[in-house]
Amino acid sequence: SKSGGWTLQDLNSVPTFTHGTSADGFTLVSSTAGSTITASNITNAQTVTIFYGKTEGSFSYSINGAAEVTVTVDSSGAAQQLTSFTVSGTSNVVIKVISGTVAIFGFHARKTGNGVEVTKLGNGSCTGKDYSKISPTAQVGIGGYLSPDVVVIMLGTNDYRISGNTVETYKAGINAIIDGYRTNNPNCGFILIAPADSNATHVVPLSNYRDAIYVLAKDKQVEFYNMYDDWDVWSVENNNGQWADSLHVSKSGAYRIAKKLFKNFLES
């Protein structure tokens, strides 16, 4: 939750980000002292990290009502900056603007140990053209922090149905995302998914995007999953419970995709 003078900058609604953004294309900006963001009910974490942009400002954070810790943004530092602190049990973290302008990119909660860490960095209604606004810069800092072994990219459902997007803008956006993650993590693997045909009126046939991402996968030497041809037409798969609506897969459909990726690319 948030209070005060925060403005949300969203990838698919702003042409540029004044103070930068992270890989999901969301930034909260405030120049109002006393503005707060509260992240409640953080459980099963050992470390919380706050990501923020390069501005002329400062903010504080407090954990479960304890003393505030002040963070002064490095106005001559990196485009993406972070501060981390330890937590235990159930935690509530409050960020408060102290002075100047503060641009918050997001939070990350981490628990070390064995297992798989899955991070979702998505933004509804966005296209490859949108991601070209922020990539590769937006992936550099978060990519270095997360150090992912593999990144799964599934774009196209918006590109083929929204005017102003083309196969070339689609390819350019995905190409830039890959380059961003590879900047600090050159051995990172990628799986590019050509999405199944949804129940939307197309501007450009989705099969054109399938063909384009296949070529891009070869050019970038990454993996490719042809969901477009692996799934039947929308009406059939919808009757099978694989779609939640005309554009989004159901929980069963998502499980099917995850199982396919695991069996074909990740299982050892």
Side-chain angles (χ1 to χ4, degrees), residues 78-137:
Q80 295 178 359
Q81 301 179 33
L82 59 85
T83 186
S84 299
F85 47 87
T86 59
V87 295
S88 62
T90 300
S91 300
N92 299 317
V93 177
V94 178
I95 292 176
K96 184 171 69 176
V97 176
I98 302 298
S99 64
T101 297
V102 174
I104 300 296
F105 296 162
F107 296 83
H108 185 259
R110 171 170 277 167
K111 182 177 183 179
T112 58
N114 296 325
V116 175
E117 180 178 280
V118 179
T119 302
K120 180 181 178 182
L121 291 163
N123 189 317
S125 299
C126 288
T127 66
K129 185 178 180 180
D130 289 321
Y131 278 99
S132 288
K133 301 175 190 175
I134 64 172
S135 307
T137 305

Side-chain angles (χ1 to χ4, degrees), residues 12 26 50-51 59 65 71 75 82 93 119 132 162 165 172 176 181 183-184 223 251 256 262:
N12 62 21
F26 287 112
I50 305 171
F51 300 92
F59 64 91
V71 177
S75 60
L82 59 85
V93 177
T119 302
S132 288
I162 299 177
N165 296 279
Y181 281 113
T183 300
N184 288 324
E223 305 296 338
K251 183 181 290 187
R256 178 177 169 184
F262 179 74

Side-chain angles (χ1 to χ4, degrees), residues 6 8 17 34 53 67 70 105 137 139 147 191 203 214 222-223 229:
W6 295 100
L8 175 65
F17 286 83
T70 299
F105 296 162
T137 305
Q139 289 78 27
S147 190
I191 304 171
V203 176
Y214 172 66
V222 301
E223 305 296 338
D229 290 309

